[in-house]
Amino acid sequence: MVVHATPASATLTPFNRGARQLGKLFFPGSGTKFGINSLLFGAIRRRGSPIIASAATGRNGGVVEVSEDERARRTYVWPDDKKPRVCILGGGFGGLYTALRLESLEWPRDKKPQILLFDQFERFVFKPMLYELLSGEVDVWEIAPRFSDLLGSTSVQFFQDRVKLLNTYDYEGMNASTRSGCGGTVHLESGLIVEYDWLVLALGAAGKVDLVPGAAKLALPFSTLEDACTVEERLRALERKYFGKDSPIVVAVVGCGYAGVELAATVSERLKDKGVVHAIGRDATILPAAPPGNREAALKVLSSRRIQLSLGYSVRSITRASEFKTLDSDAQTINNSVAAQDPDRLVLELFPFEGGLQIQTLDADLVLWTVGSKPLLPQIERNWLPLIEQGQAETDETLRVKGHPRIFAIGDSSALRDSSGRRLPPTAQVAFQQADFTGWNLWAAINNRPLLPFRFQNLGEMMTLGRFDAAVTPSFIEGLTLEGPVGHTARKIAYLARLPTDEHRVKVGISWLIKSAVDSVASLQSTLTEVLSQP
């Protein structure tokens, strides 16, 4: 009897070794691979050959016919039942870079682990450069390459699926051997169950937009590639809507930390004199935790672009103009006028966070939300992980979850303090360094070697302030801040060096050089035109 198998979630797409001759033609010696092999899915096979199961149509096919007995078995079959099995949940900075670190280490022949990397999306996203998508400075493929391209020359297998549930069996050191038993199981939304010996929690975090009434429905977060694409679409729609009109586009950015300031500077530069940007923060200054040099550079740029700052305020509610009501008669009169012109306009009610300020209302066409985040840890069925109030797993100094020697947690999934007792910030820099340590400590654990304690080294802080503007404050040179075009170039070089693979770095580096040359020629032509046009 034959039935149709349609997994409930996203495509499961592993990537394996295979020649990519076209890539070698353009990048000799790079080991580029364009082919993808199929999944060792165990539960779904045809004539003894592995196949890909997908609910979507396209290059991986759509509906797969399997027997009823095969459909009932949903446990992933690892290729080798003797080698360690490592599951990495999350393909961000922590997860992907841990996988690449494990791949780069030298292993005894019988102990090189089998590595599965899980993420709900098909692309890795270099989040610190999402702002450049709005300014048009980078293309999607440059900062959001597909996992298939990044992992094609490795033995790491990638599953595009969402993690639904975890079962942990290693509580208090049970089954500590790398060869006997298993550390637990990962349950995916598609129904697949995967056993593991070692687990890395690196699922990242999502923007928390439900902090005030109306925000979840009316405000747009800015933390993922999908968020950036949505904001880009909304900005384009507003630019079309206001084309040829005298009234400006009004954008409100909630939050004056790094994300809020970078977003406000980028949007303001894009809109120029066609828009007005308001930045709202509850502290008395922007970037309260940033180095003074970065803060001063940002203030100069925000002031030069006439970005309106509402500091010492928090947003109490966001409402459509047609639905907004307040006890303040003056504010209500102004709002009635706004609603009459555009009932879909958004009204933000600002509540003073500092003393001596009055409640204010602000109307805007678009509200961008950059404050608050929530870790994306899945549900744990048994042996609950130790979590702090914010939802992150507590780890020891080796990055292992307390009480669970087979589970590591890094990035936004981890709650770890530095040597001074302060909780490490959820930044890309922290995740980079934790991934390096986690890869090494997994090697040490599998080979029965001592694990290393993680020590964060702050290398400095960087921020973009527009297409040709940035601020970089390195920690190793006290008092130095690189601003303007120099800071912009330094930041791009630093991030280019941090891209995941040599092959991708080469491609992006060439692309950026070409764009820089084109911009230089255009600037020279503009200058010559101005000079020649003078009497």
Side-chain angles (χ1 to χ4, degrees):
M1 178 179 178
V2 176
V3 297
H4 294 285
T6 54
S9 186
T11 307
L12 305 180
T13 315
F15 303 98
N16 216 319
R17 301 183 183 274
R20 294 182 174 184
Q21 300 301 327
L22 182 60
K24 292 183 178 179
L25 177 63
F26 289 103
F27 298 95
S30 66
T32 310
K33 295 176 173 58
F34 288 87
I36 58 173
N37 289 336
S38 50
L39 171 65
L40 292 171
F41 192 21
I44 302 179
R45 298 178 183 266
R46 180 184 295 171
R47 297 178 184 175
S49 300
I51 60 176
I52 294 173
S54 172
T57 58
R59 64 178 182 180
N60 294 331
V63 178
V64 179
E65 293 185 343
V66 297
S67 70
E68 198 170 73
D69 180 63
E70 288 172 332
R71 187 170 180 266
R73 290 183 286 120
R74 302 288 294 166
T75 301
Y76 175 78
V77 177
W78 292 81
D80 192 323
D81 60 359
K82 294 183 179 180
K83 290 184 178 181
R85 304 166 298 179
V86 177
C87 285
I88 301 175
L89 310 186
F93 291 116
L96 175 63
Y97 285 66
T98 296
L100 294 174
R101 175 64 168 154
L102 286 170
E103 183 73 12
S104 70
L105 294 172
E106 294 292 332
W107 293 89
R109 188 171 183 180
D110 62 334
K111 289 189 176 181
K112 183 175 182 180
Q114 306 162 92
I115 305 169
L116 300 185
L117 177 66
F118 300 87
D119 197 275
Q120 60 180 308
F121 301 110
E122 68 170 345
R123 294 176 181 268
F124 162 76
V125 181
F126 201 94
K127 290 187 177 182
M129 299 195 75
L130 279 176
Y131 312 97
E132 278 85 339
L133 286 177
L134 300 184
S135 65
E137 192 174 348
V138 301
D139 297 320
V140 170
W141 70 268
E142 295 172 342
I143 65 164
R146 288 183 172 87
F147 287 107
S148 57
D149 297 324
L150 297 176
L151 300 175
S153 60
T154 73
S155 62
V156 178
Q157 303 230 39
F158 171 64
F159 285 13
Q160 187 183 343
D161 208 329
R162 188 189 299 270
V163 179
K164 183 179 180 181
L165 181 69
L166 290 181
N167 277 336
T168 62
Y169 305 144
D170 68 334
Y171 187 64
E172 295 181 343
M174 293 166 48
N175 297 325
S177 170
T178 61
R179 294 294 186 104
S180 62
C182 75
T185 56
V186 177
H187 297 245
L188 303 176
E189 197 171 76
S190 62
L192 185 66
I193 299 173
V194 183
E195 291 186 345
Y196 67 83
D197 296 316
W198 303 92
L199 183 71
V200 179
L201 297 175
L203 288 163
K208 196 171 184 179
V209 196
D210 56 353
L211 296 176
V212 301
K217 181 180 179 182
L218 301 175
L220 297 181
F222 194 86
S223 62
T224 68
L225 177 62
E226 289 67 30
D227 294 340
C229 292
T230 301
V231 172
E232 168 68 18
E233 292 173 2
R234 291 290 296 275
L235 285 173
R236 286 186 180 181
L238 288 171
E239 287 166 341
R240 290 193 297 268
K241 177 180 177 180
Y242 282 87
F243 181 76
K245 297 182 179 180
D246 294 332
S247 54
I249 300 169
V250 180
V251 178
V253 179
V254 181
C256 285
Y258 270 117
V261 170
E262 290 179 288
L263 190 55
T266 302
V267 172
S268 177
E269 182 187 54
R270 171 175 172 154
L271 297 178
K272 295 183 173 62
D273 57 351
K274 299 177 182 177
V276 175
V277 176
H278 294 263
I280 305 161
R282 70 177 190 176
D283 293 291
T285 183
I286 66 170
L287 304 172
N294 277 12
R295 187 183 310 117
E296 293 169 7
L299 281 171
K300 285 190 291 186
V301 170
L302 299 186
S303 176
S304 66
R305 294 180 189 162
R306 299 180 180 178
I307 295 174
Q308 300 182 18
L309 297 176
S310 297
L311 300 177
Y313 283 94
S314 61
V315 177
R316 187 159 69 175
S317 67
I318 304 176
T319 315
R320 293 196 185 277
S322 58
E323 302 170 356
F324 179 75
K325 301 294 181 182
T326 180
L327 297 177
D328 188 333
S329 58
D330 292 335
Q332 187 64 58
T333 300
I334 295 173
N335 180 70
N336 289 339
S337 176
V338 171
Q341 298 175 9
D342 188 351
D344 289 330
R345 192 106 161 172
L346 305 178
V347 178
L348 296 84
E349 192 169 15
L350 308 183
F351 191 79
F353 201 79
E354 300 285 342
L357 299 175
Q358 301 294 322
I359 296 176
Q360 293 187 14
T361 58
L362 169 67
D363 63 277
D365 297 287
L366 179 63
V367 178
L368 304 179
W369 194 273
T370 68
V371 296
S373 64
K374 52 184 177 182
L376 295 175
L377 289 178
Q379 179 183 350
I380 314 297
E381 185 167 278
R382 36 182 311 193
N383 295 331
W384 290 90
L385 301 182
L387 304 179
I388 65 171
E389 184 179 351
Q390 288 78 11
Q392 299 163 308
E394 288 189 90
T395 62
D396 61 22
E397 59 181 4
T398 67
L399 301 176
R400 289 189 296 186
V401 175
K402 291 181 178 179
H404 293 268
R406 287 170 171 249
I407 303 177
F408 291 79
I410 59 179
D412 294 305
S413 298
S414 170
L416 185 66
R417 298 181 182 274
D418 60 18
S419 56
S420 63
R422 291 176 298 183
R423 186 168 294 130
L424 293 176
T427 62
Q429 183 180 176
V430 172
F432 283 139
Q433 297 183 30
Q434 288 182 335
D436 190 52
F437 271 78
T438 300
W440 174 262
N441 280 343
L442 276 167
W443 181 95
I446 291 172
N447 289 284
N448 297 315
R449 302 289 183 85
L451 276 63
L452 295 176
F454 175 71
R455 294 291 182 267
F456 172 62
Q457 294 182 324
N458 184 9
L459 303 178
E461 299 182 16
M462 303 184 291
M463 63 185 304
T464 182
L465 294 169
R467 190 174 178 86
F468 303 104
D469 212 337
V472 178
T473 301
S475 62
F476 46 86
I477 305 178
E478 186 175 356
L480 174 66
T481 298
L482 304 177
E483 303 178 37
V486 175
H488 178 268
T489 301
R491 177 177 176 271
K492 290 195 74 171
I493 292 174
Y495 281 154
L496 180 65
R498 281 295 191 180
L499 292 176
T501 65
D502 291 338
E503 177 186 340
H504 191 62
R505 279 191 286 272
V506 170
K507 291 180 179 180
V508 173
I510 292 173
S511 176
W512 287 357
L513 282 174
I514 293 173
K515 290 177 181 177
S516 178
V518 170
D519 288 339
S520 298
V521 171
S523 177
L524 179 60
Q525 288 178 335
S526 177
T527 302
L528 289 175
T529 301
E530 291 180 5
V531 171
L532 295 175
S533 63
Q534 293 178 356

